[in-house]
Amino acid sequence: MPSDTAPVENAPGDTGPPEPNHVLEFPGGYTRSVGPVIGRFFSELRDGRLVGVRTADGRVLVPPSEYDPQTGEDVTDEFVEVGPVGTVTTWSWVAHPAKEHPLDRPFAWALIRPDGADTALLHALDLGIFEEGAKPPKFLRTGMRVRPRWRAERTGGIGDIECFQPEVTMINAPTRLEYRLKGGQALRRFLEGMSEGRILGHRCPVCESVIVPMKGLCPRDGVPTTEEVELPDTGTVTTFAVNNIPDPRAPEVPFVSAYVLLDGAGLTMLTLVAGIPADQVRMGMRVKAAWRPREEWERTMGNIKWFEPIDEPDVPFEEIKDFM
Amino acid sequence: MPRPVAVVAFAQTEHSGEDRGMAEIEILAPVITEIKERTGQKQFGFTCSGSCDYLAGAPFAFVSALDAIGAWPPISESHVEMDAAWALYEAWVKLQHGDIDTALVYGFGKSSQGNLRAVLTQQLDPYHLAPLGIDAVSLAALQARAYMERSGAKEDDLRAVAARSREAGHGNPFALHLPAPEGDDYDVAPLRPYDVAPVTDGAAAIVLAAGDRARELCERPAWITGIDHRTEPHAPGVRDLSRSDSARVAGEKAGATGIEVAELHAQYTHEELILREALGLGEDTVVNPSGGPLSANPMMAAGLIRIGEAAARVHDGSASRVLGHASSGPCLQQNLVCVLSGENHG
Ligand SMILES: [Zn+2]
């Protein structure tokens, strides 16, 4: 029976939603018999199983009903275990849960067709922790695979499923290995040069091109190289890429990584290009190394922060096309 | 051949988006008074009403509304616990029996005094749906997404429906006058606040009359040339939510072709798009010139108002073939289509 109290006006100056002065409630709940079909569904739910009922034409209805919604005919008495994994057929996203809702943080409602069923079950879908008012997460979509989270204490009702959750499709496994690397003789000599502000290369005894940074051999001819050559810190951009993913070594996003052909070199070096908007970098652009302050120099390529444009005409494509 | 029956009078309240401190019966009574005066009738052969006890939170709340119509000496009376469009259908059936010539139909609802979304949860299946606490807007949003994914419609298409409805509502003295849609926040995604009909208090009444009685009571009666209602399974998971088969069949049975003006009981923007498709309404049909439920949605009267607004276009001579539609249940589960014509019948 409804419980009733006399209407009460809100006090003067009282803002906000008025308190209810009338409540309709059936204390202890409303007792309903469920019958053999819904009863079987709830009994199986209590045991942690999801079942549907087969219709005369072989379809499986979940949740089961006493009749085929298409024909109105009685269903068979064959109950079929389905799911528990299912597919979301449509969903809505509740950014501000109401007190009547099953979750107190943003969640989705979804129609879920369990594997092996021909109809869908409505339930709440928990996608993790979101702040009140959050927009629907990008990974929530029709077709998503989900499975029930069962309540530990089950009583035989739709609430025995606390909610559904996405299938596990990804894991995150931390990885870390430790090394003690040595760079080899040629690299050691190159970095020694860098620590003095010099860019060193090797001239190949066969093709006479200068390889920088040197490797102790010529990649073109496959012969050892030993003749050291110091190169200027100016060069030409041969090709480049605009990067939109942040990198701790880059000044800002977007940044440009480029192959620079140092003047007199026979191979390009991979480096950063800065000091110019990313969309103005071009092939053939003349650049010069931007060195860190001398007191910061170490035995590292990082002594050159990046290359910056210099006020010289671009090099024609014909002259750099063989160095791409 | 059904007996010719027409809508001969229609009255409604100036609807309110907030509690004006009037009881349901106080909202209803002036509308009954007005429609009696307009038709010059104090008595009707049959009276039928639509309302919902859960809106007032009291059992048999509709009984007290009978005081507004004067139920003594005893009258022939009935009630449906749903939108009064279905009360109109019952009255139409009663008129088909041939023993009465007039019927009064009314509906009323005061949604502002409770939590409408939670109230509507109580109309759901008590085994699988109501215990979850799912509300009407969340259910509608499931349908909106299903429709958009099937049809390719975008959220901007929904917004356009809201904009047009609210704009039209400004020309309707009985509607709420709502601002143009704005904002990007969702209510229940993919629906935004303006995609959802406003909470509204109000009432409406219609008088039906048969044959010569209709011609006596109204200069241009709006003859009911077809009326039909269909329902689909209650469980949303067994239906194709992106379509409304029940609206389609009801429209076909009611002969909904050549419609100039359609008043659709679309309580969410996507419902209008689903209903247009189901009823085969093209660009040349004017939809919801009253602003529709998106401009004023008094529960249990809004469907009846659609029939009344459609009939009013026939009464004033601005259209000769119109359609009133009402819906009930979650996700357009049940649909009623009433086709009205100004052509002389009977
Ligand atoms: Zn060589």
PDB file of all heavy atoms in Angstrom, chain A residues 50-64:
ATOM      1  N   LEU A  50      23.620 -19.268 -18.166  1.00  0.00           N
ATOM      2  CA  LEU A  50      22.698 -18.485 -18.978  1.00  0.00           C
ATOM      3  C   LEU A  50      22.018 -19.465 -19.937  1.00  0.00           C
ATOM      4  O   LEU A  50      22.699 -20.159 -20.689  1.00  0.00           O
ATOM      5  CB  LEU A  50      23.528 -17.458 -19.739  1.00  0.00           C
ATOM      6  CG  LEU A  50      22.933 -16.157 -20.229  1.00  0.00           C
ATOM      7  CD1 LEU A  50      22.178 -15.434 -19.125  1.00  0.00           C
ATOM      8  CD2 LEU A  50      24.053 -15.271 -20.758  1.00  0.00           C
ATOM      9  N   VAL A  51      20.691 -19.557 -19.880  1.00  0.00           N
ATOM     10  CA  VAL A  51      20.010 -20.465 -20.808  1.00  0.00           C
ATOM     11  C   VAL A  51      18.940 -19.725 -21.600  1.00  0.00           C
ATOM     12  O   VAL A  51      18.376 -18.726 -21.153  1.00  0.00           O
ATOM     13  CB  VAL A  51      19.339 -21.668 -20.084  1.00  0.00           C
ATOM     14  CG1 VAL A  51      20.359 -22.499 -19.346  1.00  0.00           C
ATOM     15  CG2 VAL A  51      18.212 -21.209 -19.175  1.00  0.00           C
ATOM     16  N   GLY A  52      18.670 -20.252 -22.793  1.00  0.00           N
ATOM     17  CA  GLY A  52      17.556 -19.790 -23.604  1.00  0.00           C
ATOM     18  C   GLY A  52      16.615 -20.944 -23.838  1.00  0.00           C
ATOM     19  O   GLY A  52      16.902 -22.086 -23.454  1.00  0.00           O
ATOM     20  N   VAL A  53      15.478 -20.644 -24.473  1.00  0.00           N
ATOM     21  CA  VAL A  53      14.524 -21.697 -24.785  1.00  0.00           C
ATOM     22  C   VAL A  53      14.378 -21.769 -26.301  1.00  0.00           C
ATOM     23  O   VAL A  53      14.457 -20.750 -26.990  1.00  0.00           O
ATOM     24  CB  VAL A  53      13.159 -21.461 -24.098  1.00  0.00           C
ATOM     25  CG1 VAL A  53      12.399 -20.298 -24.732  1.00  0.00           C
ATOM     26  CG2 VAL A  53      12.313 -22.727 -24.107  1.00  0.00           C
ATOM     27  N   ARG A  54      14.213 -23.009 -26.805  1.00  0.00           N
ATOM     28  CA  ARG A  54      14.125 -23.176 -28.249  1.00  0.00           C
ATOM     29  C   ARG A  54      12.675 -23.051 -28.714  1.00  0.00           C
ATOM     30  O   ARG A  54      11.762 -23.559 -28.063  1.00  0.00           O
ATOM     31  CB  ARG A  54      14.695 -24.554 -28.647  1.00  0.00           C
ATOM     32  CG  ARG A  54      15.132 -24.599 -30.104  1.00  0.00           C
ATOM     33  CD  ARG A  54      15.755 -25.926 -30.485  1.00  0.00           C
ATOM     34  NE  ARG A  54      17.068 -26.198 -29.928  1.00  0.00           N
ATOM     35  CZ  ARG A  54      18.215 -25.657 -30.363  1.00  0.00           C
ATOM     36  NH1 ARG A  54      18.208 -24.773 -31.339  1.00  0.00           N
ATOM     37  NH2 ARG A  54      19.363 -25.991 -29.807  1.00  0.00           N
ATOM     38  N   THR A  55      12.483 -22.364 -29.841  1.00  0.00           N
ATOM     39  CA  THR A  55      11.139 -22.266 -30.424  1.00  0.00           C
ATOM     40  C   THR A  55      10.913 -23.457 -31.348  1.00  0.00           C
ATOM     41  O   THR A  55      11.843 -24.196 -31.681  1.00  0.00           O
ATOM     42  CB  THR A  55      10.995 -20.977 -31.245  1.00  0.00           C
ATOM     43  OG1 THR A  55      11.919 -21.036 -32.336  1.00  0.00           O
ATOM     44  CG2 THR A  55      11.295 -19.741 -30.416  1.00  0.00           C
ATOM     45  N   ALA A  56       9.652 -23.612 -31.787  1.00  0.00           N
ATOM     46  CA  ALA A  56       9.316 -24.740 -32.667  1.00  0.00           C
ATOM     47  C   ALA A  56      10.154 -24.699 -33.948  1.00  0.00           C
ATOM     48  O   ALA A  56      10.528 -25.734 -34.486  1.00  0.00           O
ATOM     49  CB  ALA A  56       7.825 -24.713 -33.008  1.00  0.00           C
ATOM     50  N   ASP A  57      10.483 -23.490 -34.429  1.00  0.00           N
ATOM     51  CA  ASP A  57      11.277 -23.421 -35.670  1.00  0.00           C
ATOM     52  C   ASP A  57      12.783 -23.387 -35.404  1.00  0.00           C
ATOM     53  O   ASP A  57      13.563 -23.097 -36.311  1.00  0.00           O
ATOM     54  CB  ASP A  57      10.825 -22.246 -36.545  1.00  0.00           C
ATOM     55  CG  ASP A  57      11.097 -20.903 -35.893  1.00  0.00           C
ATOM     56  OD1 ASP A  57      11.695 -20.869 -34.790  1.00  0.00           O
ATOM     57  OD2 ASP A  57      10.736 -19.867 -36.480  1.00  0.00           O
ATOM     58  N   GLY A  58      13.188 -23.664 -34.154  1.00  0.00           N
ATOM     59  CA  GLY A  58      14.604 -23.875 -33.878  1.00  0.00           C
ATOM     60  C   GLY A  58      15.374 -22.670 -33.381  1.00  0.00           C
ATOM     61  O   GLY A  58      16.561 -22.770 -33.090  1.00  0.00           O
ATOM     62  N   ARG A  59      14.714 -21.509 -33.292  1.00  0.00           N
ATOM     63  CA  ARG A  59      15.429 -20.343 -32.767  1.00  0.00           C
ATOM     64  C   ARG A  59      15.565 -20.440 -31.257  1.00  0.00           C
ATOM     65  O   ARG A  59      14.780 -21.122 -30.603  1.00  0.00           O
ATOM     66  CB  ARG A  59      14.685 -19.053 -33.136  1.00  0.00           C
ATOM     67  CG  ARG A  59      14.775 -18.728 -34.628  1.00  0.00           C
ATOM     68  CD  ARG A  59      13.746 -17.717 -35.115  1.00  0.00           C
ATOM     69  NE  ARG A  59      13.190 -16.873 -34.083  1.00  0.00           N
ATOM     70  CZ  ARG A  59      13.544 -15.602 -33.863  1.00  0.00           C
ATOM     71  NH1 ARG A  59      14.446 -15.026 -34.622  1.00  0.00           N
ATOM     72  NH2 ARG A  59      12.970 -14.904 -32.910  1.00  0.00           N
ATOM     73  N   VAL A  60      16.572 -19.746 -30.711  1.00  0.00           N
ATOM     74  CA  VAL A  60      16.788 -19.770 -29.261  1.00  0.00           C
ATOM     75  C   VAL A  60      16.518 -18.373 -28.699  1.00  0.00           C
ATOM     76  O   VAL A  60      17.171 -17.402 -29.100  1.00  0.00           O
ATOM     77  CB  VAL A  60      18.226 -20.231 -28.927  1.00  0.00           C
ATOM     78  CG1 VAL A  60      18.478 -20.136 -27.430  1.00  0.00           C
ATOM     79  CG2 VAL A  60      18.460 -21.645 -29.432  1.00  0.00           C
ATOM     80  N   LEU A  61      15.548 -18.290 -27.803  1.00  0.00           N
ATOM     81  CA  LEU A  61      15.143 -17.007 -27.214  1.00  0.00           C
ATOM     82  C   LEU A  61      15.823 -16.798 -25.868  1.00  0.00           C
ATOM     83  O   LEU A  61      15.735 -17.644 -24.985  1.00  0.00           O
ATOM     84  CB  LEU A  61      13.629 -16.969 -27.000  1.00  0.00           C
ATOM     85  CG  LEU A  61      12.729 -17.295 -28.184  1.00  0.00           C
ATOM     86  CD1 LEU A  61      11.271 -17.253 -27.743  1.00  0.00           C
ATOM     87  CD2 LEU A  61      12.973 -16.317 -29.327  1.00  0.00           C
ATOM     88  N   VAL A  62      16.497 -15.647 -25.733  1.00  0.00           N
ATOM     89  CA  VAL A  62      17.095 -15.265 -24.452  1.00  0.00           C
ATOM     90  C   VAL A  62      16.758 -13.800 -24.195  1.00  0.00           C
ATOM     91  O   VAL A  62      17.037 -12.967 -25.040  1.00  0.00           O
ATOM     92  CB  VAL A  62      18.633 -15.430 -24.479  1.00  0.00           C
ATOM     93  CG1 VAL A  62      19.233 -14.980 -23.146  1.00  0.00           C
ATOM     94  CG2 VAL A  62      19.017 -16.862 -24.764  1.00  0.00           C
ATOM     95  N   PRO A  63      16.161 -13.425 -23.056  1.00  0.00           N
ATOM     96  CA  PRO A  63      15.662 -14.348 -22.032  1.00  0.00           C
ATOM     97  C   PRO A  63      14.502 -15.168 -22.577  1.00  0.00           C
ATOM     98  O   PRO A  63      13.805 -14.714 -23.467  1.00  0.00           O
ATOM     99  CB  PRO A  63      15.211 -13.402 -20.912  1.00  0.00           C
ATOM    100  CG  PRO A  63      15.056 -12.063 -21.527  1.00  0.00           C
ATOM    101  CD  PRO A  63      15.942 -12.010 -22.709  1.00  0.00           C
ATOM    102  N   PRO A  64      14.314 -16.379 -22.031  1.00  0.00           N
ATOM    103  CA  PRO A  64      13.262 -17.242 -22.557  1.00  0.00           C
ATOM    104  C   PRO A  64      11.878 -16.653 -22.303  1.00  0.00           C
ATOM    105  O   PRO A  64      11.664 -15.997 -21.287  1.00  0.00           O
ATOM    106  CB  PRO A  64      13.434 -18.529 -21.752  1.00  0.00           C
ATOM    107  CG  PRO A  64      14.722 -18.424 -21.034  1.00  0.00           C
ATOM    108  CD  PRO A  64      15.032 -16.968 -20.893  1.00  0.00           C
TER     109      PRO A  64
END
